Amino acid sequence: MRKVIIIGAGPAGMMAACRAAQCGASVLVLEKNEKAGKKLFLTGKGRCNLTNACDTRDIFDNIVRNPRFLYSAIYGFSNDMVMDFFEKRGCALKTERGGRVFPRSDHSSDVIRALERQMRTDGIMLRLHTQVADLWRQEGSVAGVILKGGERLGGDAVIVATGGLSYPSTGSTGDGYVMAQKAGHRIVETAPSLVPLLVREDWPGKLQGLALKNVEASLYGREEKKLLYQGFGEMLFTHLGVSGPLILSASSYLEGGREHVLKLDLKPALTAEQLDKRLLRDFSEHQKKQFKNALGDLFPARLIPVMIRLSGIEPEKPVNEITREERRQFGTLIKNWRMHIAGTGDYGEAVITRGGVHVKEVCPSTMESLKLRGLYFAGEVLDVDALTGGFNLQIAWSTGYLAGENAALGRAK
């Protein structure tokens, strides 16, 4: 019987453990926290968007980096198979807007309990408060792990499922990157992703807490010549910038070392011509009012002072004195509201980490290292990431499942 050691009891690690045990291995999971699934407990604001119910082929359209690397993993353990896995283990599911799949209870703890129940059923040993310091390497193969304090635990295969750097309070402190580097792997530069954006302009603080729905956002690279991302959805203003699902997705497409411009279209359902007619109609209805009092049908009350300031039109100017050119420039502002990105939130605010173990040094059909025999990787430690909607957890389940299976069976590269 092969002995498989798994570093990390997050989603990828626990799924790897379950699959390895099902394939006949003796499995030991090492977790430095006081409980399994600590970060998983927080995902989706505690609700845990564990996958997406879209067609499996559509998952790859939502993977930002290295989707082709994940073909074997995702088709080997698809979103339908993930849903079936949890339903059969007592975690009833429901599907919400955008195909997002949640526990019917809205409690992430039910997802964790389903995994823990399966681990107990399979006789998997879980050691908590146990920190791995390094991989135990012998003659081009992994021989086990070395714990903090020096204790060595032998194994036929080791799966690194330590996560990334996001939510460091849950123990995601980049341990896996260090182990991978020592084993000869390249680490693609890491950065926070699915994270709020900071802007150079000073007005976000005046709108802090304001949410806008049905907004279109476009992210551009240097000199606004390269469109990096365009999406539609909900956003939120923060004291230093912007956030919300739409903005988090946009953050995945930031390019390192580049100037970025974010453009908002507050009325994406209207063409510029249709919006101009709408403004003309609204101004006609409020022609006896001042400009500052004529925008209540267009924007939330808190947004009006900022839009007036950016428009350059005097707040007290009578609506019937606004020129055609002023009105059209105002329409351009509404559909082309520009802001300059100054940076992002830190890892404490990031849902995931971009970057990680270079996928060209990992076998995509097994998740085994091409540098060290018997070493496998799963989950966020790899240089793969996706948009919001359950896709990142799908990556964790799929890569964990594939790594667990191959670590247990000892398939050759």
Side-chain angles (χ1 to χ4, degrees), residues 346-395:
D346 60 20
Y347 286 111
E349 298 177 274
V351 177
I352 58 165
T353 305
R354 65 188 284 184
V357 176
H358 203 302
V359 297
K360 288 187 177 179
E361 298 174 348
V362 178
C363 178
S365 61
T366 63
M367 294 295 130
E368 187 174 10
S369 165
L370 297 175
K371 297 285 186 179
L372 188 68
R373 289 190 302 275
L375 174 63
Y376 297 79
F377 296 99
E380 197 176 345
V381 71
L382 290 160
D383 180 28
V384 287
D385 62 277
L387 302 179
T388 58
F391 302 105
N392 286 290
L393 273 178
Q394 179 64 48
I395 291 172

Side-chain angles (χ1 to χ4, degrees), residues 75-284:
Y75 281 116
F77 192 54
S78 69
N79 48 344
D80 291 332
M81 295 168 74
V82 167
M83 289 185 276
D84 186 62
F85 176 93
F86 285 101
E87 290 270 10
K88 285 182 175 177
R89 287 158 182 80
C91 181
L93 304 176
K94 62 179 179 179
T95 303
E96 297 187 358
R97 178 178 52 85
R100 290 168 166 81
V101 178
F102 294 90
R104 192 177 297 169
S105 65
D106 282 330
H107 295 309
S108 56
S109 55
D110 285 352
V111 175
I112 298 168
R113 275 196 287 267
L115 289 162
E116 288 178 329
R117 277 196 298 270
Q118 187 61 48
M119 288 169 67
R120 285 193 296 271
T121 298
D122 291 337
I124 294 165
M125 183 180 296
L126 172 63
R127 279 183 56 172
L128 302 173
H129 300 288
T130 304
Q131 185 164 353
V132 176
D134 200 359
L135 301 171
W136 180 6
R137 303 181 295 278
Q138 286 184 340
E139 300 177 355
S141 296
V142 70
V145 299
I146 304 170
L147 302 184
K148 186 178 180 181
E151 181 185 357
R152 292 176 182 244
L153 302 175
D156 299 295
V158 173
I159 301 174
V160 176
T162 50
L165 289 162
S166 55
Y167 291 95
S169 62
T170 64
S172 297
T173 52
D175 301 352
Y177 304 139
V178 177
M179 295 178 207
Q181 274 187 314
K182 289 182 179 179
H185 281 271
R186 287 179 291 165
I187 304 299
V188 176
E189 184 178 2
T190 60
S193 194
L194 297 182
V195 66
L197 299 178
L198 312 178
V199 303
R200 292 207 178 107
E201 288 76 9
D202 64 357
W203 42 257
K206 304 181 192 310
L207 299 173
Q208 182 178 358
L210 176 65
L212 298 179
K213 295 182 178 180
N214 304 321
V215 174
E216 184 177 86
S218 301
L219 181 70
Y220 290 86
R222 186 172 296 164
E223 298 177 359
E224 302 178 38
K225 292 180 180 178
K226 183 180 180 183
L227 178 63
L228 302 175
Y229 169 80
Q230 189 169 63
F232 176 85
E234 183 175 345
M235 62 166 291
L236 174 74
F237 292 96
T238 68
H239 68 299
L240 292 175
V242 286
S243 187
L246 179 62
I247 302 301
L248 297 187
S249 291
S251 75
S252 293
Y253 292 88
L254 292 174
E255 296 182 336
R258 289 184 178 271
E259 294 287 332
H260 295 88
V261 171
L262 183 70
K263 294 184 180 181
L264 300 180
D265 183 347
L266 301 181
K267 300 294 178 184
L270 302 177
T271 65
E273 185 177 324
Q274 290 170 332
L275 177 59
D276 188 56
K277 289 180 180 178
R278 163 74 187 273
L279 291 174
L280 193 59
R281 185 174 70 248
D282 284 5
F283 288 178
S284 178

Side-chain angles (χ1 to χ4, degrees), residues 300-409:
R302 289 183 60 199
L303 185 56
I304 291 173
V306 171
M307 297 304 290
I308 290 173
R309 171 185 161 191
L310 295 174
S311 74
I313 301 172
E314 288 297 323
E316 289 78 20
K317 188 170 187 174
V319 168
N320 58 11
E321 292 181 15
I322 292 177
T323 67
R324 177 184 180 185
E325 183 60 26
E326 286 176 324
R327 188 185 72 244
R328 291 197 166 177
Q329 286 182 357
F330 188 49
T332 299
L333 169 65
I334 294 170
K335 291 194 68 66
N336 199 36
W337 185 6
R338 297 168 73 252
M339 55 200 75
H340 296 83
I341 305 303
T344 71
D346 60 20
Y347 286 111
E349 298 177 274
V351 177
I352 58 165
T353 305
R354 65 188 284 184
V357 176
H358 203 302
V359 297
K360 288 187 177 179
E361 298 174 348
V362 178
C363 178
S365 61
T366 63
M367 294 295 130
E368 187 174 10
S369 165
L370 297 175
K371 297 285 186 179
L372 188 68
R373 289 190 302 275
L375 174 63
Y376 297 79
F377 296 99
E380 197 176 345
V381 71
L382 290 160
D383 180 28
V384 287
D385 62 277
L387 302 179
T388 58
F391 302 105
N392 286 290
L393 273 178
Q394 179 64 48
I395 291 172
W397 308 130
S398 294
T399 56
Y401 186 95
L402 188 60
E405 178 175 291
N406 286 282
L409 299 177

